[in-house]
Amino acid sequence: MKVSEKEFKLKFFEEQGFIRKQCPKCGSWFWTLDRKQIYCNDAPCIEYTFYNLDYKAPYLTVHGSRETFIRFFQKHGHTPIEPKPVVARWREDLYLTIASIVDFQPFVTDGTVPPPANPLVVSQPCIRLEDIDNVGKTAGRHLTSFEMGGHHAFNYPDKYIYWKDETVRYAFKFFTKELGVNPEDLTFKESWWEGGGNAGPCFEVTVGGLELATLVFMQYKVRGNEYIPMPMKIVDTGYGIERIAWFAQKAPTGFHAVYRDLVKKFFDSIGIEEPSKDEMYVIGRLASLMKPEIPETIEKYYKKVSEALGLEYSKVKGILVKVEKVFAILDHTRTLCLMLADGIVPSNTGEGYLARLVVRRALRALAKLGASVPLSELVNYQIEFWKNDFPRVGKRADYILEVIDIEEEKFKRTLEKGLSYVRRLIRRKGRKLALEDLIELYDSHGIPPGIVDEVAKEKGISITVPENFFSIVAKRHAQAEVGEEKPLPEDIVVEISKLKPTELLFHKDPYMREFVGSVVFSKPGLLVLDRTAFYAEGGGQLSDVGKIVWENGAANVVHVIKVGDVVVHKLKENVTVPIGTVVKGLIDWNRRSILMKHHTSTHIILGAARRVLGEHVWQAGAEKRPDKARLDITHHKPLTKEEIRKIEELANNIVFEGRNVITKFMDRNEAESKYGLRLYQGGVPPGRTIRIVEVEDWDVEACFGTHVSNTREIGLIKIINVDRIQDGVIRLEYVSGEKALEYMWNLEDTLGDIANKINASIRDVKLKVEKLIKEYNELKRELSEFKREWVRNEIAKLASKKTKTTWGFLVVGRYKNRKDEDVLEIASRIQGKHPDSVVIVYNMVDDKVKVLILVGKQVQDKGISAVNVLSKVLGKIVKGKGGGRKDYAAASGKPLVNFNEIVSATQSIISSFTP
């Protein structure tokens, strides 16, 4: 979007004497007090010169930078708030927290919910993977995990907080007073920002080549190519906490500033020699000139470092490539700590996919460096280093390390299985292997492009692997797909959306079985009332069914849905009811009752699973039906019998204790503050006010569904099935109340039937079955011995009847209703002992005959192949289809000769066969 110069002209600039200039390299406009300044003061337009600037910043670690930032803005009237997790649980459209403004999207930024404070300040840990391939190359300019210091002001039409001028004044004061930057060294570069559906002009604050902050003035909502002015104007700043530490320390690279002693520890553990401090300063300073997305600039950077150090180019390049990989591993291991501590379970979908991508990129870097150190050992260094800054990292250390070890083992198995597939694909496609093929190999088989490239080179084939491959993949998976199913034709949805919200009687009293309401909308088979006790399908709970009756008629309600705030009843009969008609609704109470029990059971089981398996457990899906319910949870390994039993035991303890189930409506901010983001296990409801369902002292969730008022009403919960439905997701199926009783009755009946069949009492079934199994195994052993003897006899019998031909010997046999593997074993062993023979065996099963042909190596050398022999059999002996290769062929079909004469007929045809 073209931005007017007026957007950037500020009273502050005029007062201070700032002048506006244009950078001759990048073309950006910027504001400075230095009249001699030529460039925009940002990399890669200039080298990092902040090392050499005369400023007296205090020595700040990341912790110190964070505290300094928050303290400054708190002193200037901003309320500090707690950061949110790096997993964006409050967003349906985004997996990871990529900026501090994400904390307030979409409900605060669209005006639905007020901010928790105004103005406020937060230091938000963030994860961005779209530049993951650049990490390590730019000396710390690119990181996958970082802290964004944000001070935010939300300006409403009727309430002004502050805007551009004050924001720039704060930045100027912070950098000059807190960090000691000379005013002439501070540059405000004009730019434009877009993200999360919002946009606005911004300033990038740079000092000595290092961008330290971005000051965004969010004032547009983006819809396609349209920029719509927002009624609310939002100050959205991002101060780089790690970059402030780098700047304050004047460290050689950002990695030295952030990780300090860990840098040497990682180099030593990985087994790579760390360059000297002076060499690192050269590496860091010149890395500023690189644009890693342009390969030519990387080579140029290597040459400049080579010249600066006075070393041979190839040697310097080798050193730098290794340094870049160590830096990347440093970054990725911290990112994994943050991701896993916030409950991500690596998988092939969603945020789990992104975590696995980071794991495998780190493992690949270790492999490239020839390191033998387990990834978990390096991750443990990070846990110890960061556990005070991020308490969840320390609290969940065992889970983090276990998952890392599991993922490393899985990756090894993936590569072992995947290499043969890669070789086949390369044979088939060769140089035509495209980017989409590489992405498919990674997404579906977990094989990184570097492995594909190595296999291709073995075959003398060169393929193109983009430098930013992982960035491309991460970008594709960064956002969740949010699609709204349209349950009704668009024109009807438009009409319904104009109606007043339906009064939801099922929330006021979930035990209501009958109610009275008035018709406000009707089309054939559709009915909207001003109030209803029929539950509308949502949150994984199926809708109510029942009847609606009125003075002159009645209709069956077969499905109920919600369109916005309006409840629509779908009728079995294609009737229309006049507007204003008073009707009576009759709920199918038996169905509603069991749905309520199943829904409350879902909340109880989720609470039990979290206590048994760990805090990382998150609901990945759920369904509450009349016959059973299911809950999908994230977990990194299959459940043991003991874990399942413990979950069931805890769940039933809650049922038997008779805990109250409390439903209430709360302000969203108040609810999040009191209960945390675990509220959104079942999804993120819209609106300022949300409905909360609390199983007393056990589980609290935002939930639309109907529930029992006390857990004792459930009676019993029985887990009936547990499956691992995909990598990282476990499905629990269960029944409650009368359905649990029915399930046990069915088991009892089944057990009784088994007892009758084995002539035992139910009490003695276990002993009788054990005895039968023992007898069965003994019979199985005897049968196996008999079978071996039978096979030996058959082999000897058939071999003795072989007939001589011009090309060797022919062995033909026939059987009825034998197992295919038995027939194959006989034929294979004859052919193995007689490589000068053709072995043909028939097996009649029902009215079809199967033919198996094996040709020995000596016969093949004379020009006889199994396929050729089969062509003689088909059409003369058997009418059917088949195929094979030189040594083996098979077919099945209808016999064309009497089965008793099939051997002699085959000998007659094949004996005279010549190649």
Side-chain angles (χ1 to χ4, degrees):
M1 180 178 179
K2 189 175 181 181
V3 188
S4 168
E5 182 183 338
K6 292 179 183 178
E7 294 280 6
F8 301 103
K9 281 191 173 182
L10 305 181
K11 184 180 179 182
F12 172 76
F13 288 154
E14 185 181 345
E15 289 174 358
Q16 297 293 321
F18 276 80
I19 56 175
R20 188 173 186 255
K21 292 187 172 187
Q22 188 174 24
C23 179
K25 285 192 176 180
C26 68
S28 297
W29 289 92
F30 61 91
W31 296 82
T32 179
L33 289 171
D34 184 359
R35 297 184 177 276
K36 295 180 181 178
Q37 183 174 328
I38 297 172
Y39 302 110
C40 66
N41 218 4
D42 194 10
C45 292
I46 67 165
E47 292 181 11
Y48 292 141
T49 60
F50 69 89
Y51 302 120
N52 307 316
L53 295 179
D54 182 21
Y55 60 89
K56 296 181 180 179
Y59 181 91
L60 296 174
T61 61
V62 169
H63 180 85
S65 298
R66 182 193 311 123
E67 293 298 309
T68 300
F69 171 78
I70 291 174
R71 187 171 58 245
F72 173 84
F73 282 98
Q74 186 175 15
K75 188 169 63 178
H76 288 83
H78 293 68
T79 302
I81 67 167
E82 286 296 311
K84 288 193 174 179
V86 296
V87 191
R89 302 292 194 190
W90 62 98
R91 295 282 295 266
E92 297 278 21
D93 60 335
L94 200 63
Y95 294 123
L96 301 175
T97 308
I98 58 173
S100 60
I101 193 62
V102 169
D103 293 9
F104 313 105
Q105 291 172 323
F107 301 116
V108 175
T109 56
D110 68 10
T112 302
V113 176
N118 197 11
L120 57 82
V121 62
V122 62
S123 184
Q124 175 61 53
C126 301
I127 294 178
R128 288 183 192 169
L129 302 182
E130 292 184 17
D131 291 320
I132 191 170
D133 293 294
N134 298 339
V135 173
K137 296 177 181 176
T138 55
R141 193 162 85 236
H142 293 90
L143 302 171
T144 59
S145 58
F146 56 93
E147 283 188 66
M148 181 177 286
H151 67 89
H152 300 275
F154 303 87
N155 297 286
Y156 295 87
D158 59 348
K159 186 180 180 182
Y160 179 85
I161 306 298
Y162 63 80
W163 193 226
K164 296 177 185 176
D165 200 76
E166 297 93 326
T167 303
V168 173
R169 286 178 191 271
Y170 282 137
F172 185 82
K173 188 174 182 180
F174 177 80
F175 289 114
T176 57
K177 300 301 182 186
E178 297 292 328
L179 295 188
V181 176
N182 293 321
E184 292 79 12
D185 294 328
L186 203 58
T187 300
F188 294 87
K189 188 170 78 168
E190 298 175 6
S191 190
W192 179 261
W193 175 90
E194 289 189 25
N198 301 113
C202 67
F203 288 110
E204 294 171 359
V205 186
T206 61
V207 182
L210 193 61
E211 182 187 337
L212 296 175
T214 303
L215 316 176
V216 177
F217 306 102
M218 190 187 294
Q219 58 195 60
Y220 297 102
K221 192 166 186 68
V222 183
R223 286 183 185 163
N225 296 322
E226 191 179 3
Y227 292 86
I228 304 163
M230 295 166 55
M232 188 186 347
K233 310 296 183 189
I234 301 171
V235 173
D236 169 26
T237 65
Y239 285 61
I241 300 300
E242 285 84 0
R243 291 193 183 189
I244 289 170
W246 187 5
F247 178 83
Q249 294 177 35
K250 292 188 177 181
T253 72
F255 294 100
H256 290 82
V258 174
Y259 297 102
R260 296 178 289 148
D261 295 342
L262 275 190
V263 174
K264 183 176 188 324
K265 205 166 192 176
F266 267 59
F267 271 98
D268 290 346
S269 297
I270 293 168
I272 300 298
E273 184 179 353
E274 181 185 4
S276 69
K277 188 174 181 181
D278 288 341
E279 289 171 334
M280 278 296 191
Y281 268 109
V282 172
I283 291 168
R285 174 172 59 83
L286 294 176
S288 61
L289 301 177
M290 187 203 312
K291 287 185 177 180
E293 65 274 13
I294 304 174
E296 293 79 8
T297 68
I298 300 176
E299 293 300 319
K300 188 176 179 181
Y301 158 66
Y302 292 161
K303 287 177 183 176
K304 280 187 171 290
V305 174
S306 172
E307 292 166 2
L309 297 178
L311 297 173
E312 186 182 333
Y313 170 80
S314 60
K315 182 178 180 180
V316 168
K317 181 177 179 179
I319 292 170
L320 291 178
V321 168
K322 290 178 180 177
V323 168
E324 289 163 8
K325 284 182 168 48
V326 175
F327 283 164
I329 295 165
L330 259 169
D331 167 273
H332 293 2
T333 45
R334 179 175 82 152
T335 298
L336 288 169
C337 284
L338 295 174
M339 292 176 114
L340 299 178
D342 279 344
I344 293 181
V345 175
S347 66
N348 294 326
T349 59
E351 64 270 14
Y353 176 97
L354 299 173
R356 179 163 286 168
L357 182 148
V358 179
V359 171
R360 292 187 171 180
R361 196 171 188 277
L363 289 170
R364 188 71 186 130
L366 283 173
K368 283 280 189 181
L369 293 172
S372 58
V373 59
L375 183 60
S376 59
E377 185 176 315
L378 301 177
V379 170
N380 196 41
Y381 294 155
Q382 296 280 12
I383 292 171
E384 292 301 313
F385 191 82
W386 294 107
K387 65 184 180 183
N388 294 326
D389 290 84
F390 308 110
R392 280 194 299 271
V393 168
K395 183 182 176 185
R396 298 178 182 171
D398 290 344
Y399 166 72
I400 293 169
L401 296 174
E402 182 183 21
V403 167
I404 293 296
D405 282 336
I406 288 172
E407 284 297 303
E408 183 161 5
E409 185 57 37
K410 280 184 180 178
F411 189 49
K412 287 177 184 174
R413 292 200 303 267
T414 293
L415 293 183
E416 288 168 4
K417 291 179 181 177
L419 284 175
S420 59
Y421 179 81
V422 172
R423 291 188 179 99
R424 289 198 303 273
L425 187 67
I426 288 173
R427 277 198 301 271
R428 194 168 76 246
K429 288 202 168 188
R431 289 179 175 81
K432 293 180 181 178
L433 212 61
L435 173 61
E436 291 303 318
D437 295 310
L438 296 176
I439 292 174
E440 168 68 19
L441 281 168
Y442 182 76
D443 278 355
S444 300
H445 302 277
I447 303 167
I451 295 287
V452 183
D453 188 38
E454 289 172 12
V455 175
K457 282 176 180 172
E458 290 174 7
K459 305 292 182 183
I461 294 171
S462 176
I463 62 172
T464 302
V465 179
E467 288 285 334
N468 62 335
F469 174 84
F470 284 99
S471 299
I472 293 169
V473 170
K475 189 172 183 179
R476 290 192 181 189
H477 290 265
Q479 291 185 305
E481 292 183 13
V482 181
E484 288 191 14
E485 185 182 344
K486 293 185 178 178
L488 297 171
E490 188 65 35
D491 58 331
I492 292 179
V493 170
V494 171
E495 282 190 69
I496 290 172
S497 61
K498 295 175 183 176
L499 300 173
K500 289 181 180 179
T502 306
E503 184 183 350
L504 307 179
L505 299 176
F506 55 79
H507 276 172
K508 293 183 176 181
D509 180 7
Y511 294 88
M512 184 181 291
R513 305 183 187 197
E514 299 180 3
F515 70 96
V516 173
S518 297
V519 177
V520 296
F521 175 88
S522 183
K523 293 279 185 185
L526 297 176
L527 198 64
V528 176
L529 308 176
D530 61 341
R531 59 208 300 263
T532 186
F534 280 96
Y535 178 77
E537 183 170 329
Q541 179 178 328
L542 298 188
S543 78
D544 286 329
V545 298
K547 278 190 173 184
I548 288 179
V549 298
W550 57 97
E551 187 177 358
N552 299 318
N556 291 287
V557 177
V558 294
H559 193 206
V560 186
I561 59 173
K562 204 162 171 273
V563 177
D565 292 325
V566 178
V567 174
V568 183
H569 307 77
K570 292 186 175 182
L571 309 177
K572 182 179 180 182
E573 295 79 10
N574 202 29
V575 297
T576 303
V577 185
I579 305 298
T581 301
V582 176
V583 303
K584 185 177 183 180
L586 305 169
I587 309 297
D588 181 337
W589 174 247
N590 288 335
R591 176 186 169 96
R592 159 71 74 80
S593 174
I594 191 61
L595 285 171
M596 288 166 62
K597 292 170 185 174
H598 277 159
H599 202 150
T600 307
S601 297
T602 300
H603 288 221
I604 293 171
I605 287 179
L606 180 59
R610 285 172 50 72
R611 285 164 175 81
V612 173
L613 305 175
E615 292 292 307
H616 61 275
V617 168
W618 192 267
Q619 180 174 315
E623 185 180 36
K624 303 91 185 180
R625 301 158 48 93
D627 56 332
K628 65 180 178 179
R630 67 167 172 83
L631 172 67
D632 300 339
I633 58 171
T634 56
H635 190 55
H636 53 290
K637 56 186 179 181
L639 301 195
T640 64
K641 181 181 177 181
E642 292 72 24
E643 287 169 335
I644 297 167
R645 183 65 58 85
K646 188 64 178 175
I647 291 169
E648 189 174 77
E649 180 187 350
L650 287 181
N652 279 298
N653 285 344
I654 299 303
V655 171
F656 302 151
E657 287 171 12
R659 299 200 185 191
N660 291 325
V661 180
I662 304 148
T663 60
K664 56 191 173 183
F665 288 88
M666 293 182 70
D667 174 80
R668 180 184 292 274
N669 284 335
E670 182 189 351
E672 286 186 8
S673 175
K674 184 174 181 178
Y675 299 117
L677 297 175
R678 287 286 169 191
L679 283 172
Y680 302 135
Q681 289 274 354
V684 184
R688 180 170 181 166
T689 302
I690 58 178
R691 183 171 181 263
I692 303 298
V693 174
E694 177 182 1
V695 178
E696 193 175 12
D697 297 329
W698 188 254
D699 179 80
V700 184
E701 296 180 43
C703 182
F704 185 75
T706 56
H707 292 267
V708 298
S709 61
N710 187 283
T711 59
R712 193 173 282 119
E713 296 175 42
I714 294 170
L716 182 72
I717 298 173
K718 179 64 189 156
I719 296 173
I720 61 173
N721 191 45
V722 178
D723 276 325
R724 181 171 169 268
I725 60 170
Q726 66 182 57
D727 201 12
V729 180
I730 305 293
R731 172 167 292 174
L732 298 155
E733 293 183 323
Y734 42 93
V735 286
S736 303
E738 53 268 43
K739 292 298 177 182
L741 188 58
E742 287 176 16
Y743 177 78
M744 288 188 289
W745 283 342
N746 288 334
L747 286 182
E748 193 177 60
D749 289 344
T750 301
L751 188 60
D753 288 343
I754 293 171
N756 288 335
K757 285 184 170 68
I758 63 173
N759 196 25
S761 66
I762 289 179
R763 185 177 55 192
D764 295 332
V765 162
K766 185 172 181 287
L767 289 173
K768 189 65 179 282
V769 167
E770 287 174 352
K771 183 182 177 183
L772 288 172
I773 290 172
K774 186 177 179 181
E775 291 172 357
Y776 167 78
N777 287 333
E778 181 61 27
L779 287 172
K780 190 177 175 183
R781 185 186 63 77
E782 291 176 4
L783 182 62
S784 179
E785 289 178 3
F786 174 77
K787 178 184 163 185
R788 283 197 295 272
E789 184 61 30
W790 177 78
V791 168
R792 280 196 295 269
N793 290 336
E794 287 299 308
I795 290 169
K797 184 170 71 175
L798 288 181
S800 67
K801 294 179 181 179
K802 65 180 182 180
T803 56
K804 180 112 174 78
T805 69
T806 57
W807 35 259
F809 291 92
L810 174 64
V811 178
V812 185
R814 67 177 179 84
Y815 298 96
K816 281 190 176 183
N817 299 315
R818 290 291 179 183
K819 290 183 178 179
D820 290 340
E821 57 264 33
D822 293 344
V823 174
L824 177 60
E825 183 181 355
I826 292 168
S828 298
R829 287 174 63 178
I830 293 173
Q831 194 270 320
K833 287 184 177 180
H834 303 278
D836 58 351
S837 299
V838 171
V839 181
I840 303 174
V841 182
Y842 298 95
N843 186 25
M844 175 73 84
V845 179
D846 297 327
D847 61 343
K848 274 195 170 186
V849 66
K850 298 179 180 180
V851 57
L852 176 66
I853 301 171
L854 299 179
V855 176
K857 184 67 172 62
Q858 293 177 18
V859 182
Q860 290 176 43
D861 292 342
K862 294 180 181 179
I864 303 290
S865 76
V867 175
N868 291 340
V869 174
L870 180 63
S871 68
K872 296 295 181 183
V873 170
L874 291 176
K876 294 182 179 178
I877 307 294
V878 176
K879 183 181 181 181
K881 292 183 178 180
R885 49 184 189 263
K886 287 174 68 175
D887 61 331
Y888 171 94
S892 66
K894 295 281 186 182
L896 296 174
V897 299
N898 187 298
F899 192 66
N900 294 327
E901 299 172 359
I902 205 164
V903 172
S904 58
T906 302
Q907 290 171 336
S908 173
I909 293 169
I910 303 304
S911 295
S912 59
F913 174 67
T914 55

